[in-house]
Amino acid sequence: MFDRDFEWAELTRFAGLPGPQATLGVVSGRRRQGKTFLLDAITRASGGFMFTATETTETDALRQFGEALARYRGQATPFRFAHWDEAVIELMRIATAGEPTVAVIDEFPFLAKASPALPSIVQRALDPGAQHTNTPVRLLLCGSALSFMGRLLSGDAPLRGRAGLELVVPTLDFRLAAEFWQISDPRTALLTHAVVGGTPAYRREFTQGDTPAGPDDFDAWIIRAVLNPARPLFREARYLLAEEPELHDIALYHAVLAAIASGNTARGGIADYLGRKSTDLAHPLTVLQDAGMITHEADAFRRNRSAYRIAEPLVAFYHAVMRPSWGDLERPGRAASVWSRTQSTFRSKVVGPHFEQICREWARWHAAPDTLGGNSTRVASGTVNDPAAKTTHEVDVAVHGESHEGRQTLLAIGEAKWSDTMGAGHLERLRYIRSLLAESGTATEATRLYCFSGTGFTDELSRLAQNDPTIQLIGLPRLYYGE
């Protein structure tokens, strides 16, 4: 088990909760993050029961469930449940000798799709009246359909207020992903993360441990492991959308993702790319957001602006690099030529935006308070008006937070350049933007200036930053190993 200490501790705590009544827990997260691995481990460790649902009819699901429960109980004859009321009542009686017993239903959304009343049936089984006949079952419902799982405990849903555990299993962040993939070179680690993100299964099940050996092996790894039509990663981005039950018009959702991958982060730009009205996109954008495919981030300085970004790097890579050349890539032997001609697209549409996102994550979660000049509470990108020049300036990293003196303030602004060696000109641009923000009362002279570069810094810029703590230079080694 890698970096799941928090999740494991919460599961073991829940599994051992004292008391004679049955309790409910909900486990969710995007696919391929190791949820089933964790639940299988807690079930084995505690001697519990685990049932993994499939996409089938209610009758067949009840048959499978009855057979699995009978095997767990050591019965030669399967249970024959006519409906889920009977099945859930029997499930709540599996704990023996008054000891807490874990019961896991994995892929719960499949069951609820075939039996929409199932959440209400579970809720009724947890009511005070039903608890008189229940045993101390620790019921865990798990699913990867984020839109469904998000609604399971929200609003007026039947299970609202019933869960004693609501655990979301996240993807690995960029530092943990490098450690998991055993990539020590920061440049190779970031390039790899820009393609496969922090999903653990992509290293083990999907590549069988095939990792880039270093910078010189990265291109070859892309060709053999990602653009190879015989490997699982090749079609994974397409399957991710197909597996989401809320995404009915798959072509439309792929088109929206393609628009975002092309650099259209505002709703108006996405609408123009698709040739549709902006109002037509409210529903598909909301559905994609609920499904965890995209994020919607408010502008750091302008409340009426926001940006949509693809949350899964492999999906962004697919739409920017693979989808436009899909016909060629499906023919074996064409991957090398496709990769050669899409290098500039990969750098500008995939690595560049991904590098900016990594820089924001570093500023939010890894930068030390002394580096920031305080404690960060929010990090985002933003747009700054320049009335005199009648233009706007983009800020890749804007760190809002609390200063060491306890004041809410703009701690820092930064620029991120993946392919450029940054120099004094980049610093002057940041100083100018800081002066514009100071005129509006948003920034002060204490607001720090960050230069993030994937290539390095000129000697002049390094000298300027050497004795000035308000100027911070963050290269790849510091992103991965420093604060």
Side-chain angles (χ1 to χ4, degrees):
M1 190 176 298
F2 178 85
D3 186 57
R4 295 302 188 198
D5 295 341
F6 171 78
E7 291 82 2
W8 182 251
E10 287 299 310
L11 286 172
T12 54
R13 177 197 66 81
F14 179 80
L17 283 174
Q21 296 185 327
T23 54
L24 172 69
V26 174
V27 179
S28 62
R30 283 156 59 188
R31 295 189 182 277
R32 328 288 194 239
Q33 304 309 318
K35 300 184 298 299
T36 299
F37 178 86
L38 281 167
L39 294 172
D40 179 68
I42 195 66
T43 304
R44 290 174 181 273
S46 63
F49 166 72
M50 182 168 179
F51 174 71
T52 300
T54 58
E55 196 166 9
T56 186
T57 64
E58 180 177 65
T59 301
D60 188 43
L62 281 167
R63 180 187 59 78
Q64 293 179 23
F65 185 80
E67 292 173 351
L69 192 59
R71 284 195 300 271
Y72 175 75
R73 299 284 289 269
Q75 298 179 190
T77 304
F79 288 103
R80 300 299 183 189
F81 298 123
H83 44 72
W84 277 108
D85 283 286
E86 295 178 352
V88 171
I89 288 172
E90 191 63 38
L91 179 65
M92 293 300 184
R93 295 173 178 169
I94 65 170
T96 58
E99 293 297 321
T101 300
V102 171
V104 174
I105 300 180
D106 197 11
E107 299 295 356
F108 183 71
F110 286 157
L111 296 183
K113 181 180 180 181
S115 309
L118 185 53
S120 296
I121 293 171
V122 173
Q123 174 249 317
R124 187 164 57 203
L126 294 168
D127 282 345
Q131 292 286 12
H132 295 300
T133 58
N134 288 342
T135 58
V137 170
R138 304 296 172 249
L139 176 61
L140 289 164
L141 306 179
C142 178
S144 301
L146 296 186
S147 53
F148 174 87
M149 297 303 291
R151 293 195 302 269
L152 200 60
L153 302 177
S154 64
D156 57 355
L159 294 175
R160 168 75 172 166
R162 301 285 180 174
L165 174 72
E166 189 175 359
L167 184 64
V168 178
V169 180
T171 59
L172 303 175
D173 78 0
F174 70 99
R175 286 187 172 186
L176 289 170
E179 185 180 347
F180 183 74
W181 280 73
Q182 297 180 313
I183 301 175
S184 57
D185 174 63
R187 186 173 184 85
T188 307
L190 194 139
L191 287 169
T192 304
H193 193 266
V195 178
V196 294
T199 298
Y202 292 162
R203 184 194 171 203
R204 291 178 175 165
E205 291 87 344
F206 282 67
T207 63
Q208 293 80 51
D210 182 4
T211 64
D216 296 336
D217 185 47
F218 178 76
D219 289 341
W221 175 78
I222 287 287
I223 293 167
R224 70 176 181 262
V226 184
L227 302 184
N228 182 345
R231 300 291 180 88
L233 276 178
F234 182 75
R235 294 176 179 84
E236 172 65 1
R238 296 163 72 99
Y239 292 158
L240 283 175
L241 261 68
E243 290 171 346
E244 285 293 335
E246 301 294 325
L247 307 186
H248 303 297
D249 187 352
I250 298 298
L252 172 61
Y253 293 110
H254 272 299
V256 172
L257 291 169
I260 299 173
S262 297
N264 302 285
T265 60
R267 184 188 292 189
I270 299 170
D272 289 343
Y273 183 93
L274 299 179
R276 295 194 174 211
K277 296 179 181 179
S278 179
T279 52
D280 294 342
L281 297 181
H283 178 70
L285 288 170
T286 299
V287 171
L288 283 171
Q289 190 176 351
D290 290 344
M293 289 290 172
I294 63 175
T295 60
H296 188 205
E297 302 168 7
D299 189 282
F301 308 112
R302 302 172 66 181
R303 293 185 178 180
N304 62 338
R305 288 178 61 95
S306 59
Y308 290 95
R309 294 190 175 88
I310 297 176
E312 173 54 62
L314 187 63
V315 172
F317 179 83
Y318 164 77
H319 280 284
V321 174
M322 299 177 69
R323 189 168 180 253
S325 303
W326 190 253
D328 286 347
L329 288 171
E330 284 190 305
R331 294 181 64 86
R334 300 291 182 92
S337 61
V338 170
W339 183 238
S340 176
R341 70 173 184 260
T342 57
Q343 287 289 305
S344 60
T345 300
F346 175 63
R347 287 191 297 269
S348 62
K349 302 298 185 183
V350 179
V351 186
H354 190 74
F355 180 61
E356 293 173 9
Q357 181 60 33
I358 293 298
C359 294
R360 288 189 285 271
E361 290 182 20
W362 179 87
R364 181 68 177 98
W365 304 114
H366 299 288
D370 286 344
T371 298
L372 297 170
N375 296 292
S376 69
T377 56
R378 178 187 170 223
V379 179
S381 61
T383 307
V384 179
N385 280 325
D386 187 348
K390 297 182 179 179
T391 188
T392 58
H393 302 279
E394 300 294 327
V395 175
D396 299 325
V397 181
V399 184
H400 294 270
E402 187 176 276
S403 69
H404 292 312
E405 294 75 28
R407 296 190 304 272
Q408 295 296 317
T409 186
L410 178 64
L411 296 174
I413 58 172
E415 184 168 4
K417 295 293 183 183
W418 169 250
S419 301
D420 295 349
T421 299
M422 299 188 75
H426 296 91
L427 179 63
E428 285 307 311
R429 178 180 179 273
L430 287 173
R431 282 176 171 160
Y432 179 68
I433 294 173
R434 183 174 63 181
S435 70
L436 293 174
L437 290 168
E439 291 176 5
S440 65
T442 304
T444 68
E445 285 299 314
T447 298
R448 301 193 172 193
L449 308 177
Y450 288 174
C451 293
F452 298 89
S453 176
T455 305
F457 310 95
T458 64
D459 292 340
E460 180 184 11
L461 182 56
S462 298
R463 285 194 299 271
L464 291 170
Q466 190 171 10
N467 298 312
D468 187 347
T470 66
I471 304 171
Q472 296 285 330
L473 308 185
I474 303 100
L476 290 174
R478 190 174 177 185
L479 274 178
Y480 274 90
Y481 304 112
E483 55 181 24

